[in-house]
Short mmCIF file of all heavy atoms in Angstrom, two decimals:
data_model
loop_
_atom_site.label_atom_id
_atom_site.label_comp_id
_atom_site.label_asym_id
_atom_site.label_seq_id
_atom_site.Cartn_x
_atom_site.Cartn_y
_atom_site.Cartn_z
N ARG A 64 4.79 -24.72 -0.92
CA ARG A 64 4.31 -24.54 -2.29
C ARG A 64 2.79 -24.41 -2.35
O ARG A 64 2.25 -23.67 -3.17
CB ARG A 64 4.71 -25.74 -3.15
CG ARG A 64 6.10 -25.67 -3.68
CD ARG A 64 6.41 -26.92 -4.53
NE ARG A 64 7.59 -27.59 -3.99
CZ ARG A 64 8.82 -27.12 -4.10
NH1 ARG A 64 9.05 -25.98 -4.73
NH2 ARG A 64 9.84 -27.75 -3.58
N MET A 104 9.63 -0.53 -1.33
CA MET A 104 8.81 -0.11 -2.45
C MET A 104 9.02 -0.95 -3.71
O MET A 104 8.37 -0.70 -4.73
CB MET A 104 9.13 1.35 -2.81
CG MET A 104 8.90 2.32 -1.68
SD MET A 104 7.40 1.96 -0.72
CE MET A 104 6.93 3.64 -0.34
N VAL A 105 9.95 -1.89 -3.69
CA VAL A 105 10.23 -2.76 -4.84
C VAL A 105 9.86 -4.17 -4.38
O VAL A 105 10.62 -4.82 -3.66
CB VAL A 105 11.71 -2.65 -5.25
CG1 VAL A 105 12.08 -3.72 -6.27
CG2 VAL A 105 12.02 -1.25 -5.78
N THR A 106 8.70 -4.66 -4.80
CA THR A 106 8.16 -5.88 -4.22
C THR A 106 9.17 -7.02 -4.12
O THR A 106 9.30 -7.60 -3.04
CB THR A 106 6.86 -6.30 -4.96
OG1 THR A 106 5.96 -5.18 -4.93
CG2 THR A 106 6.18 -7.47 -4.31
N PRO A 107 9.92 -7.37 -5.18
CA PRO A 107 10.83 -8.52 -5.04
C PRO A 107 11.95 -8.29 -4.03
O PRO A 107 12.61 -9.23 -3.60
CB PRO A 107 11.43 -8.67 -6.45
CG PRO A 107 10.61 -7.81 -7.35
CD PRO A 107 9.96 -6.77 -6.52
N ASP A 108 12.18 -7.03 -3.64
CA ASP A 108 13.28 -6.69 -2.73
C ASP A 108 12.77 -6.28 -1.35
O ASP A 108 13.52 -5.77 -0.52
CB ASP A 108 14.08 -5.54 -3.36
CG ASP A 108 15.44 -5.33 -2.72
OD1 ASP A 108 15.96 -6.29 -2.12
OD2 ASP A 108 15.97 -4.21 -2.80
N SER A 181 14.27 -22.04 -10.20
CA SER A 181 13.02 -21.36 -9.88
C SER A 181 12.21 -22.12 -8.83
O SER A 181 11.43 -21.52 -8.11
CB SER A 181 12.20 -21.13 -11.14
OG SER A 181 11.84 -22.36 -11.71
N LYS A 182 12.43 -23.42 -8.71
CA LYS A 182 11.65 -24.18 -7.73
C LYS A 182 12.00 -23.78 -6.29
O LYS A 182 11.28 -24.12 -5.37
CB LYS A 182 11.87 -25.68 -7.92
CG LYS A 182 13.25 -26.13 -7.53
CD LYS A 182 13.42 -27.64 -7.66
CE LYS A 182 14.87 -27.99 -7.34
NZ LYS A 182 15.20 -29.37 -7.62
N VAL A 184 12.38 -20.58 -5.32
CA VAL A 184 11.83 -19.24 -5.06
C VAL A 184 10.62 -19.35 -4.13
O VAL A 184 9.69 -20.10 -4.41
CB VAL A 184 11.44 -18.54 -6.38
CG1 VAL A 184 10.63 -17.29 -6.12
CG2 VAL A 184 12.70 -18.21 -7.17
N GLY A 185 10.69 -18.63 -3.03
CA GLY A 185 9.57 -18.61 -2.09
C GLY A 185 9.46 -19.86 -1.24
O GLY A 185 8.52 -20.01 -0.46
N VAL A 201 18.85 -9.35 -3.81
CA VAL A 201 18.16 -8.79 -4.97
C VAL A 201 18.56 -7.32 -5.16
O VAL A 201 18.63 -6.82 -6.27
CB VAL A 201 16.63 -8.92 -4.78
CG1 VAL A 201 15.86 -8.22 -5.89
CG2 VAL A 201 16.24 -10.39 -4.71
N GLY A 202 18.87 -6.65 -4.05
CA GLY A 202 19.25 -5.24 -4.14
C GLY A 202 20.74 -5.02 -4.36
O GLY A 202 21.19 -3.88 -4.47
N ILE A 231 17.85 -18.44 -16.18
CA ILE A 231 16.90 -19.39 -16.77
C ILE A 231 17.32 -19.72 -18.21
O ILE A 231 17.35 -20.88 -18.62
CB ILE A 231 15.48 -18.79 -16.79
CG1 ILE A 231 14.96 -18.55 -15.38
CG2 ILE A 231 14.51 -19.64 -17.61
CD1 ILE A 231 14.45 -19.77 -14.68
N ASP A 234 20.49 -21.81 -18.29
CA ASP A 234 20.25 -23.18 -17.86
C ASP A 234 19.52 -23.97 -18.94
O ASP A 234 19.82 -25.15 -19.16
CB ASP A 234 19.44 -23.20 -16.56
CG ASP A 234 20.36 -23.27 -15.35
OD1 ASP A 234 21.59 -23.29 -15.54
OD2 ASP A 234 19.86 -23.29 -14.22
N ALA A 235 18.61 -23.31 -19.62
CA ALA A 235 17.91 -23.98 -20.73
C ALA A 235 18.92 -24.42 -21.79
O ALA A 235 18.91 -25.56 -22.26
CB ALA A 235 16.88 -23.03 -21.34
N LEU A 236 19.80 -23.50 -22.11
CA LEU A 236 20.79 -23.79 -23.15
C LEU A 236 21.73 -24.90 -22.72
O LEU A 236 22.07 -25.80 -23.50
CB LEU A 236 21.59 -22.52 -23.45
CG LEU A 236 20.76 -21.36 -24.00
CD1 LEU A 236 21.60 -20.10 -24.06
CD2 LEU A 236 20.23 -21.71 -25.39
N MET A 239 20.14 -28.23 -22.90
CA MET A 239 19.95 -28.68 -24.27
C MET A 239 21.25 -29.22 -24.87
O MET A 239 21.27 -30.21 -25.59
CB MET A 239 19.46 -27.53 -25.12
CG MET A 239 19.07 -28.01 -26.48
SD MET A 239 18.42 -26.64 -27.40
CE MET A 239 17.70 -27.51 -28.77
N SER A 240 22.32 -28.51 -24.52
CA SER A 240 23.61 -28.90 -25.11
C SER A 240 24.21 -30.08 -24.37
O SER A 240 25.32 -30.51 -24.67
CB SER A 240 24.58 -27.72 -25.03
OG SER A 240 24.95 -27.50 -23.69
N ILE A 252 23.79 -15.78 -27.00
CA ILE A 252 22.34 -16.03 -27.09
C ILE A 252 21.60 -15.28 -25.97
O ILE A 252 20.56 -14.66 -26.19
CB ILE A 252 22.03 -17.54 -27.05
CG1 ILE A 252 22.62 -18.19 -28.31
CG2 ILE A 252 20.53 -17.79 -26.96
CD1 ILE A 252 22.42 -19.69 -28.37
N LEU A 256 18.58 -12.43 -26.30
CA LEU A 256 17.26 -12.53 -25.67
C LEU A 256 16.92 -11.30 -24.83
O LEU A 256 15.76 -10.92 -24.73
CB LEU A 256 17.22 -13.76 -24.74
CG LEU A 256 16.98 -15.09 -25.41
CD1 LEU A 256 17.26 -16.21 -24.41
CD2 LEU A 256 15.55 -15.19 -25.91
N PHE A 257 17.93 -10.70 -24.21
CA PHE A 257 17.63 -9.68 -23.22
C PHE A 257 18.08 -8.27 -23.57
O PHE A 257 18.12 -7.40 -22.73
CB PHE A 257 18.23 -10.08 -21.86
CG PHE A 257 17.58 -11.30 -21.32
CD1 PHE A 257 18.25 -12.50 -21.29
CD2 PHE A 257 16.27 -11.25 -20.88
CE1 PHE A 257 17.63 -13.64 -20.81
CE2 PHE A 257 15.65 -12.39 -20.41
CZ PHE A 257 16.34 -13.58 -20.37
N GLU A 258 18.42 -8.06 -24.83
CA GLU A 258 18.86 -6.70 -25.15
C GLU A 258 17.66 -5.75 -25.13
O GLU A 258 16.54 -6.15 -25.37
CB GLU A 258 19.59 -6.65 -26.49
CG GLU A 258 18.73 -6.94 -27.68
CD GLU A 258 19.58 -7.11 -28.94
OE1 GLU A 258 20.76 -6.75 -28.92
OE2 GLU A 258 19.02 -7.64 -29.93
N ASN A 259 17.95 -4.51 -24.80
CA ASN A 259 16.93 -3.46 -24.84
C ASN A 259 15.79 -3.62 -23.86
O ASN A 259 14.69 -3.15 -24.08
CB ASN A 259 16.30 -3.37 -26.25
CG ASN A 259 17.25 -2.76 -27.21
OD1 ASN A 259 18.06 -1.92 -26.82
ND2 ASN A 259 17.18 -3.18 -28.44
N GLU A 260 16.05 -4.24 -22.72
CA GLU A 260 14.96 -4.30 -21.75
C GLU A 260 14.89 -3.02 -20.94
O GLU A 260 15.83 -2.24 -20.89
CB GLU A 260 15.19 -5.41 -20.73
CG GLU A 260 15.06 -6.75 -21.30
CD GLU A 260 16.18 -7.57 -20.78
OE1 GLU A 260 17.00 -7.00 -20.03
OE2 GLU A 260 16.24 -8.75 -21.13
N ILE A 261 13.80 -2.91 -20.21
CA ILE A 261 13.58 -1.70 -19.41
C ILE A 261 14.42 -1.73 -18.14
O ILE A 261 14.75 -0.71 -17.58
CB ILE A 261 12.07 -1.55 -19.10
CG1 ILE A 261 11.75 -0.10 -18.75
CG2 ILE A 261 11.60 -2.52 -18.05
CD1 ILE A 261 10.26 0.17 -18.63
N GLU A 263 16.77 -4.70 -15.20
CA GLU A 263 17.23 -6.07 -14.99
C GLU A 263 16.02 -6.99 -14.88
O GLU A 263 15.12 -6.74 -14.10
CB GLU A 263 18.06 -6.13 -13.71
CG GLU A 263 18.72 -7.47 -13.51
CD GLU A 263 19.80 -7.40 -12.42
OE1 GLU A 263 19.61 -6.63 -11.47
OE2 GLU A 263 20.80 -8.10 -12.55
N MET A 264 15.98 -8.03 -15.70
CA MET A 264 14.80 -8.90 -15.72
C MET A 264 14.95 -10.02 -14.70
O MET A 264 16.00 -10.65 -14.59
CB MET A 264 14.60 -9.50 -17.11
CG MET A 264 14.42 -8.47 -18.21
SD MET A 264 13.08 -7.26 -17.93
CE MET A 264 11.67 -8.18 -18.58
N ILE A 265 13.87 -10.26 -13.99
CA ILE A 265 13.86 -11.31 -12.98
C ILE A 265 12.74 -12.30 -13.28
O ILE A 265 11.77 -11.97 -13.95
CB ILE A 265 13.62 -10.73 -11.57
CG1 ILE A 265 12.33 -9.91 -11.57
CG2 ILE A 265 14.82 -9.90 -11.11
CD1 ILE A 265 11.82 -9.56 -10.21
N VAL A 266 12.90 -13.51 -12.75
CA VAL A 266 11.85 -14.53 -12.83
C VAL A 266 11.29 -14.71 -11.43
O VAL A 266 12.06 -14.86 -10.48
CB VAL A 266 12.42 -15.86 -13.35
CG1 VAL A 266 11.34 -16.93 -13.40
CG2 VAL A 266 13.05 -15.66 -14.72
N THR A 267 10.02 -14.67 -11.30
CA THR A 267 9.38 -14.71 -9.98
C THR A 267 7.96 -15.23 -10.16
O THR A 267 7.45 -15.25 -11.27
CB THR A 267 9.45 -13.28 -9.37
OG1 THR A 267 9.24 -13.37 -7.98
CG2 THR A 267 8.45 -12.33 -10.00
N PRO A 268 7.30 -15.69 -9.09
CA PRO A 268 5.91 -16.14 -9.28
C PRO A 268 5.00 -14.94 -9.54
O PRO A 268 5.28 -13.84 -9.04
CB PRO A 268 5.53 -16.80 -7.95
CG PRO A 268 6.80 -16.97 -7.20
CD PRO A 268 7.75 -15.95 -7.71
N ARG A 269 3.95 -15.15 -10.27
CA ARG A 269 2.97 -14.10 -10.49
C ARG A 269 2.45 -13.56 -9.15
O ARG A 269 2.24 -12.36 -9.00
CB ARG A 269 1.80 -14.69 -11.30
CG ARG A 269 1.03 -13.70 -12.12
CD ARG A 269 -0.07 -14.42 -12.88
NE ARG A 269 -1.06 -14.88 -11.93
CZ ARG A 269 -2.20 -14.21 -11.66
NH1 ARG A 269 -2.48 -13.10 -12.30
NH2 ARG A 269 -3.05 -14.69 -10.78
N ASP A 272 3.46 -10.79 -4.44
CA ASP A 272 3.07 -10.00 -3.27
C ASP A 272 2.72 -10.91 -2.09
O ASP A 272 3.20 -10.72 -0.97
CB ASP A 272 1.90 -9.07 -3.62
CG ASP A 272 2.20 -8.21 -4.83
OD1 ASP A 272 2.06 -8.72 -5.97
OD2 ASP A 272 2.59 -7.06 -4.67
N ARG B 64 12.15 3.45 -21.82
CA ARG B 64 13.15 2.62 -21.14
C ARG B 64 13.93 3.40 -20.08
O ARG B 64 14.31 2.87 -19.06
CB ARG B 64 14.16 2.07 -22.15
CG ARG B 64 13.68 0.85 -22.86
CD ARG B 64 14.75 0.36 -23.84
NE ARG B 64 14.20 0.30 -25.18
CZ ARG B 64 13.30 -0.62 -25.56
NH1 ARG B 64 12.88 -1.52 -24.71
NH2 ARG B 64 12.83 -0.60 -26.78
N MET B 104 -4.11 -6.39 -6.07
CA MET B 104 -3.21 -6.89 -5.04
C MET B 104 -2.06 -7.74 -5.61
O MET B 104 -1.23 -8.23 -4.84
CB MET B 104 -3.99 -7.75 -4.05
CG MET B 104 -5.14 -7.04 -3.38
SD MET B 104 -4.71 -5.35 -2.88
CE MET B 104 -5.64 -5.27 -1.35
N VAL B 105 -2.07 -8.00 -6.91
CA VAL B 105 -1.01 -8.81 -7.53
C VAL B 105 -0.27 -7.86 -8.48
O VAL B 105 -0.75 -7.55 -9.56
CB VAL B 105 -1.62 -10.01 -8.29
CG1 VAL B 105 -0.58 -10.72 -9.13
CG2 VAL B 105 -2.27 -10.98 -7.29
N THR B 106 0.88 -7.38 -8.06
CA THR B 106 1.53 -6.28 -8.76
C THR B 106 1.58 -6.47 -10.28
O THR B 106 1.19 -5.55 -11.01
CB THR B 106 2.92 -6.00 -8.16
OG1 THR B 106 2.76 -5.77 -6.76
CG2 THR B 106 3.58 -4.79 -8.78
N PRO B 107 2.01 -7.61 -10.83
CA PRO B 107 2.10 -7.70 -12.30
C PRO B 107 0.74 -7.63 -12.99
O PRO B 107 0.68 -7.42 -14.20
CB PRO B 107 2.72 -9.10 -12.53
CG PRO B 107 3.23 -9.56 -11.21
CD PRO B 107 2.48 -8.84 -10.16
N ASP B 108 -0.34 -7.80 -12.22
CA ASP B 108 -1.69 -7.84 -12.80
C ASP B 108 -2.50 -6.59 -12.42
O ASP B 108 -3.70 -6.52 -12.66
CB ASP B 108 -2.40 -9.12 -12.30
CG ASP B 108 -3.66 -9.45 -13.09
OD1 ASP B 108 -3.75 -9.02 -14.25
OD2 ASP B 108 -4.54 -10.13 -12.54
N SER B 181 11.18 -9.87 -23.90
CA SER B 181 11.26 -9.10 -22.66
C SER B 181 11.50 -7.62 -22.94
O SER B 181 11.15 -6.77 -22.13
CB SER B 181 12.36 -9.66 -21.76
OG SER B 181 13.60 -9.56 -22.39
N LYS B 182 12.05 -7.28 -24.08
CA LYS B 182 12.30 -5.88 -24.38
C LYS B 182 11.00 -5.08 -24.54
O LYS B 182 11.03 -3.86 -24.51
CB LYS B 182 13.17 -5.72 -25.63
CG LYS B 182 12.43 -6.09 -26.91
CD LYS B 182 13.28 -5.86 -28.15
CE LYS B 182 12.50 -6.38 -29.36
NZ LYS B 182 13.28 -6.37 -30.58
N VAL B 184 8.37 -5.45 -22.49
CA VAL B 184 7.73 -5.30 -21.18
C VAL B 184 7.87 -3.85 -20.69
O VAL B 184 8.97 -3.31 -20.65
CB VAL B 184 8.35 -6.28 -20.16
CG1 VAL B 184 7.93 -5.97 -18.74
CG2 VAL B 184 7.96 -7.71 -20.54
N GLY B 185 6.76 -3.25 -20.34
CA GLY B 185 6.78 -1.88 -19.83
C GLY B 185 7.04 -0.82 -20.88
O GLY B 185 7.16 0.36 -20.55
N VAL B 201 -2.51 -11.11 -18.09
CA VAL B 201 -1.76 -11.76 -17.03
C VAL B 201 -2.69 -12.56 -16.12
O VAL B 201 -2.35 -13.60 -15.57
CB VAL B 201 -0.97 -10.71 -16.22
CG1 VAL B 201 -0.28 -11.32 -15.02
CG2 VAL B 201 0.06 -10.03 -17.14
N GLY B 202 -3.94 -12.07 -15.98
CA GLY B 202 -4.91 -12.74 -15.12
C GLY B 202 -5.72 -13.83 -15.83
O GLY B 202 -6.54 -14.48 -15.23
N ILE B 231 10.84 -17.54 -22.26
CA ILE B 231 12.26 -17.18 -22.31
C ILE B 231 13.11 -18.43 -22.56
O ILE B 231 14.01 -18.44 -23.40
CB ILE B 231 12.69 -16.54 -20.96
CG1 ILE B 231 11.97 -15.23 -20.73
CG2 ILE B 231 14.21 -16.38 -20.89
CD1 ILE B 231 12.51 -14.06 -21.47
N ASP B 234 12.62 -19.72 -26.07
CA ASP B 234 13.28 -18.87 -27.06
C ASP B 234 14.79 -19.07 -27.04
O ASP B 234 15.44 -19.06 -28.09
CB ASP B 234 12.93 -17.40 -26.81
CG ASP B 234 11.72 -16.98 -27.65
OD1 ASP B 234 11.19 -17.82 -28.38
OD2 ASP B 234 11.33 -15.80 -27.56
N ALA B 235 15.33 -19.26 -25.84
CA ALA B 235 16.77 -19.52 -25.74
C ALA B 235 17.11 -20.79 -26.52
O ALA B 235 18.06 -20.82 -27.32
CB ALA B 235 17.16 -19.67 -24.27
N LEU B 236 16.32 -21.81 -26.29
CA LEU B 236 16.59 -23.09 -26.93
C LEU B 236 16.44 -22.99 -28.45
O LEU B 236 17.24 -23.52 -29.21
CB LEU B 236 15.60 -24.14 -26.39
CG LEU B 236 15.73 -24.41 -24.90
CD1 LEU B 236 14.58 -25.30 -24.43
CD2 LEU B 236 17.08 -25.08 -24.61
N MET B 239 19.34 -21.28 -30.00
CA MET B 239 20.53 -22.11 -29.99
C MET B 239 20.50 -23.16 -31.09
O MET B 239 21.49 -23.43 -31.74
CB MET B 239 20.65 -22.82 -28.65
CG MET B 239 22.00 -23.48 -28.54
SD MET B 239 22.13 -24.24 -26.92
CE MET B 239 23.88 -24.61 -26.93
N SER B 240 19.30 -23.73 -31.26
CA SER B 240 19.18 -24.81 -32.25
C SER B 240 19.09 -24.26 -33.66
O SER B 240 18.93 -25.02 -34.60
CB SER B 240 17.94 -25.63 -31.93
OG SER B 240 16.77 -24.88 -32.25
N ILE B 252 12.73 -30.03 -21.91
CA ILE B 252 13.72 -29.19 -21.19
C ILE B 252 12.99 -28.11 -20.38
O ILE B 252 13.34 -27.83 -19.24
CB ILE B 252 14.71 -28.57 -22.19
CG1 ILE B 252 15.55 -29.69 -22.82
CG2 ILE B 252 15.61 -27.55 -21.49
CD1 ILE B 252 16.56 -29.22 -23.83
N LEU B 256 13.20 -27.43 -16.26
CA LEU B 256 13.57 -26.15 -15.66
C LEU B 256 12.54 -25.65 -14.65
O LEU B 256 12.88 -24.99 -13.68
CB LEU B 256 13.73 -25.07 -16.75
CG LEU B 256 15.03 -25.09 -17.50
CD1 LEU B 256 14.91 -24.19 -18.72
CD2 LEU B 256 16.18 -24.62 -16.61
N PHE B 257 11.27 -25.92 -14.91
CA PHE B 257 10.23 -25.26 -14.12
C PHE B 257 9.40 -26.18 -13.25
O PHE B 257 8.37 -25.79 -12.75
CB PHE B 257 9.31 -24.45 -15.05
CG PHE B 257 10.04 -23.33 -15.69
CD1 PHE B 257 10.35 -23.35 -17.04
CD2 PHE B 257 10.45 -22.25 -14.93
CE1 PHE B 257 11.05 -22.33 -17.63
CE2 PHE B 257 11.15 -21.21 -15.51
CZ PHE B 257 11.46 -21.25 -16.86
N GLU B 258 9.86 -27.42 -13.09
CA GLU B 258 9.03 -28.29 -12.26
C GLU B 258 9.12 -27.85 -10.80
O GLU B 258 10.10 -27.26 -10.37
CB GLU B 258 9.43 -29.75 -12.43
CG GLU B 258 10.78 -30.08 -11.91
CD GLU B 258 11.20 -31.50 -12.30
OE1 GLU B 258 10.33 -32.29 -12.72
OE2 GLU B 258 12.39 -31.80 -12.18
N ASN B 259 8.05 -28.13 -10.09
CA ASN B 259 8.03 -27.86 -8.65
C ASN B 259 8.11 -26.40 -8.25
O ASN B 259 8.59 -26.07 -7.18
CB ASN B 259 9.17 -28.60 -7.95
CG ASN B 259 8.91 -30.07 -7.87
OD1 ASN B 259 7.76 -30.46 -7.80
ND2 ASN B 259 9.96 -30.86 -7.92
N GLU B 260 7.65 -25.51 -9.10
CA GLU B 260 7.67 -24.12 -8.65
C GLU B 260 6.48 -23.81 -7.78
O GLU B 260 5.48 -24.50 -7.77
CB GLU B 260 7.58 -23.16 -9.82
CG GLU B 260 8.78 -23.13 -10.66
CD GLU B 260 8.33 -23.14 -12.08
OE1 GLU B 260 7.11 -23.19 -12.30
OE2 GLU B 260 9.20 -23.11 -12.95
N ILE B 261 6.56 -22.66 -7.13
CA ILE B 261 5.51 -22.25 -6.21
C ILE B 261 4.28 -21.74 -6.96
O ILE B 261 3.16 -21.79 -6.47
CB ILE B 261 6.06 -21.20 -5.21
CG1 ILE B 261 5.19 -21.13 -3.97
CG2 ILE B 261 6.24 -19.86 -5.86
CD1 ILE B 261 5.79 -20.27 -2.87
N GLU B 263 2.93 -19.97 -11.21
CA GLU B 263 3.33 -19.71 -12.59
C GLU B 263 4.45 -18.67 -12.57
O GLU B 263 4.31 -17.61 -11.97
CB GLU B 263 2.13 -19.18 -13.37
CG GLU B 263 2.43 -19.04 -14.85
CD GLU B 263 1.14 -18.83 -15.63
OE1 GLU B 263 0.22 -18.16 -15.11
OE2 GLU B 263 1.05 -19.32 -16.75
N MET B 264 5.58 -18.99 -13.20
CA MET B 264 6.73 -18.09 -13.13
C MET B 264 6.67 -17.07 -14.27
O MET B 264 6.40 -17.41 -15.42
CB MET B 264 8.04 -18.88 -13.21
CG MET B 264 8.21 -19.91 -12.12
SD MET B 264 8.07 -19.27 -10.41
CE MET B 264 9.75 -18.70 -10.14
N ILE B 265 6.96 -15.83 -13.93
CA ILE B 265 6.94 -14.76 -14.91
C ILE B 265 8.30 -14.06 -14.94
O ILE B 265 9.06 -14.11 -13.97
CB ILE B 265 5.87 -13.71 -14.57
CG1 ILE B 265 6.10 -13.20 -13.13
CG2 ILE B 265 4.47 -14.28 -14.72
CD1 ILE B 265 5.35 -11.97 -12.78
N VAL B 266 8.59 -13.42 -16.05
CA VAL B 266 9.79 -12.60 -16.18
C VAL B 266 9.33 -11.15 -16.23
O VAL B 266 8.42 -10.81 -17.00
CB VAL B 266 10.56 -12.96 -17.46
CG1 VAL B 266 11.80 -12.08 -17.61
CG2 VAL B 266 10.94 -14.42 -17.45
N THR B 267 9.93 -10.33 -15.43
CA THR B 267 9.48 -8.95 -15.31
C THR B 267 10.66 -8.12 -14.81
O THR B 267 11.63 -8.68 -14.32
CB THR B 267 8.25 -8.92 -14.35
OG1 THR B 267 7.55 -7.71 -14.51
CG2 THR B 267 8.64 -9.10 -12.90
N PRO B 268 10.62 -6.78 -14.95
CA PRO B 268 11.75 -6.02 -14.40
C PRO B 268 11.71 -6.03 -12.88
O PRO B 268 10.63 -6.11 -12.29
CB PRO B 268 11.52 -4.59 -14.92
CG PRO B 268 10.47 -4.68 -15.95
CD PRO B 268 9.67 -5.92 -15.66
N ARG B 269 12.86 -5.91 -12.27
CA ARG B 269 12.93 -5.83 -10.81
C ARG B 269 12.08 -4.66 -10.31
O ARG B 269 11.41 -4.75 -9.29
CB ARG B 269 14.40 -5.61 -10.40
CG ARG B 269 14.75 -6.09 -9.01
CD ARG B 269 16.22 -5.82 -8.75
NE ARG B 269 16.45 -4.40 -8.68
CZ ARG B 269 16.51 -3.72 -7.52
NH1 ARG B 269 16.39 -4.34 -6.38
NH2 ARG B 269 16.72 -2.43 -7.53
N ASP B 272 7.03 -2.40 -9.64
CA ASP B 272 6.08 -1.49 -9.00
C ASP B 272 6.08 -0.13 -9.70
O ASP B 272 5.02 0.41 -10.04
CB ASP B 272 6.39 -1.35 -7.51
CG ASP B 272 6.49 -2.69 -6.80
OD1 ASP B 272 7.54 -3.36 -6.91
OD2 ASP B 272 5.51 -3.10 -6.17
#
Side-chain angles (χ1 to χ4, degrees):
Chain A
R64 277 180 237 287
M104 301 320 215
V105 170
T106 306
D108 195 24
S181 63
K182 69 177 176 188
V184 169
V201 174
I231 296 281
D234 267 0
L236 297 171
M239 188 177 193
S240 70
I252 295 178
L256 280 168
F257 295 108
E258 67 190 346
N259 287 328
E260 291 136 358
I261 201 172
E263 187 167 33
M264 301 305 275
I265 55 166
V266 179
T267 198
R269 206 179 68 97
D272 307 81
Chain B
R64 277 180 237 289
M104 303 318 216
V105 170
T106 305
D108 195 24
S181 62
K182 71 177 175 187
V184 168
V201 174
I231 296 281
D234 267 0
L236 297 171
M239 190 177 192
S240 72
I252 294 179
L256 280 168
F257 295 108
E258 67 188 345
N259 287 329
E260 290 136 359
I261 201 172
E263 187 167 35
M264 301 305 275
I265 55 166
V266 179
T267 198
R269 205 180 68 97
D272 307 79

